[in-house]
Amino acid sequence: MNRFSSKRWLGERISFLMDLTAVKKIFILAIVTILVLIISTGLGDMNIKPWTVVSVFFGGGTELEQLVVQSFRLPRILIALLAGMALAVAGGILQGMIRNPLASPDIIGITGGAGAAVVGFLSLFSDENNTLTVSIHWLPMAAFLGATVIAFLVYFLAWRNGVSPIRLVLIGIGITALMQATTTMFMILGPIYRASQANIWITGTVNASNWTDVYVMLPWILVLIAFAFFLARNVNIQELGDEIATSVGGHVQKQRFLLLLLSTALVGGAVAFAGGIGFVGLMAPHMARRLVGSSFGALLPTAALLGGSLVMLADLIGRTLFLPLEVPAGVFTAAIGAPYFIYLLFKTKNA
């Protein structure tokens, strides 16, 4: 028990065990994530040394370096970080709540629902000058509503005296195909410019992100992730099964409803500004589980950092490896995630 430390707050009304080994790993991973952010900010058409990037963060550097870092690169990298964190935490919650290692927002159709809602929003509320007729601040809400509707639809259709892992995945794949068709319909009905923009965005890209996107996305994602960390204990209880969770005093259905809303809100915020980046919600929780174990108090922060780093690295590869072309980040996450999903599908024996 030397690796655990007991913590009590607010007159012992809040108490928990802290895994000191997991805390050390999370701290190291946080430093790695910051290094990835700095290095990614410095690489591109114009390479800037890491220490110069840090200097620009604090007001140093030349005017050109400040322009490249602050105006062109940093907003997209922050969007990549936030989107990766949101998708990873949402995937971790879904895997724990449904008790299914194959569950992730994109595989069971939640990402597709959010994507269809966003494309519909952009198509229906754009005028002939390709200008939005409503505030972009409503974009995360549209994505959230689309993700929520699909999440409950998939869960309802998969329920038959319980939710079978394989049934959930198969229904999710079918719903994902339906959402892709719906997205294509919105692209056809909307302005041509929006259609071409949506075609790249669906794959998952943070290109053309700006500080307005960051200011809208930042509070949405950070508040939801903090809320997810607070509810980590409920996810642990959900993993025990309905009967055990009820016997220890858990309100299973209420907690499940709240966790499902939370995961869809996270997916909606990520998809609204980074597109349909796939497989991050599948891979990051599994990677985190290998590092810190299955307790969600440590797993969710670890998955968040891993997810943010994965998307930042995917974006970095996409905008540097094939210069002068730029490949969407979602291409590289899918290239890694698809084989990993097939591996998990063969490994899963519970049908």
Side-chain angles (χ1 to χ4, degrees):
M1 294 293 291
N2 291 333
R3 60 179 287 190
F4 294 97
S5 174
S6 177
K7 301 295 180 182
R8 292 178 173 86
W9 295 343
L10 300 177
E12 299 191 358
R13 283 180 291 181
I14 298 177
S15 62
F16 58 91
L17 285 176
M18 180 179 293
D19 187 338
L20 299 179
T21 303
V23 170
K24 291 177 183 178
K25 291 180 179 179
I26 291 172
F27 179 74
I28 294 172
L29 189 57
I31 294 176
V32 172
T33 302
I34 293 172
L35 290 175
V36 171
L37 186 149
I38 293 172
I39 293 171
S40 181
T41 305
L43 296 178
D45 290 332
M46 173 184 173
N47 292 327
I48 303 174
K49 296 178 180 179
W51 48 87
T52 304
V53 172
V54 176
S55 174
V56 172
F57 288 165
F58 293 96
T62 65
E63 290 186 4
L64 179 59
E65 289 169 342
Q66 291 179 355
L67 178 66
V68 171
V69 170
Q70 296 179 356
S71 299
F72 297 151
R73 293 184 187 166
L74 191 56
R76 69 180 293 163
I77 293 169
L78 289 176
I79 292 292
L81 173 64
L82 292 170
M85 293 174 69
L87 292 171
V89 171
I93 290 174
L94 289 172
Q95 289 174 13
M97 183 187 73
I98 302 173
R99 302 187 297 277
N100 182 355
L102 300 176
S104 73
D106 45 313
I107 290 173
I108 66 173
I110 297 177
T111 301
V118 170
V119 174
F121 179 89
L122 294 174
S123 298
L124 298 177
F125 295 104
S126 295
D127 58 21
E128 61 276 4
N129 297 319
N130 297 318
T131 302
L132 283 176
T133 57
V134 296
S135 173
I136 195 174
H137 290 76
W138 289 103
L139 195 60
M141 182 57 67
F144 167 65
L145 291 175
T148 302
V149 170
I150 295 304
F152 282 102
L153 178 62
V154 171
Y155 196 84
F156 172 77
L157 293 175
W159 181 270
R160 187 182 300 170
N161 297 322
V163 177
S164 165
I166 297 300
R167 189 186 305 127
L168 185 76
V169 170
L170 293 177
I171 290 176
I173 291 172
I175 294 295
T176 299
L178 177 61
M179 289 301 99
Q180 290 174 345
T182 304
T183 302
T184 303
M185 182 188 69
F186 282 130
M187 290 169 59
I188 293 172
L189 294 177
I192 295 177
Y193 169 78
R194 291 295 183 191
S196 60
Q197 182 186 43
N199 194 36
I200 298 175
W201 172 87
I202 289 170
T203 307
T205 180
V206 292
N207 186 23
S209 297
N210 54 55
W211 283 109
T212 300
D213 298 337
V214 175
Y215 296 146
V216 175
M217 188 180 183
L218 184 66
W220 178 280
I221 298 300
L222 290 186
V223 169
L224 291 174
I225 288 179
F227 196 37
F229 293 167
F230 179 75
L231 294 177
R233 181 179 300 181
N234 292 339
V235 187
N236 286 328
I237 294 174
Q238 291 279 330
E239 271 207 320
L240 298 175
D242 291 0
E243 293 182 2
I244 297 178
T246 302
S247 67
V248 298
H251 302 284
V252 175
Q253 298 305 323
K254 181 179 178 181
Q255 291 173 355
R256 186 168 293 161
F257 178 79
L258 186 60
L259 290 170
L260 189 58
L261 280 181
L262 180 60
S263 60
T264 55
L266 285 166
V267 173
V271 172
F273 294 103
I277 295 177
F279 294 102
V280 175
L282 176 72
M283 294 186 293
H286 281 279
M287 295 167 64
R289 199 170 283 110
R290 290 181 177 273
L291 284 175
V292 298
S294 58
S295 175
F296 280 83
L299 187 146
L300 290 182
T302 305
L305 293 170
L306 287 169
S309 297
L310 281 172
V311 179
M312 285 192 295
L313 287 171
D315 176 60
L316 174 63
I317 294 170
R319 61 186 171 83
T320 58
L321 193 60
F322 300 98
L323 286 173
L325 297 176
E326 183 167 319
V327 181
V331 171
F332 298 100
T333 59
I336 300 172
Y340 190 69
F341 171 68
I342 295 172
Y343 162 74
L344 288 176
L345 191 61
F346 278 106
K347 186 178 177 181
T348 301
K349 298 179 180 179
N350 179 24

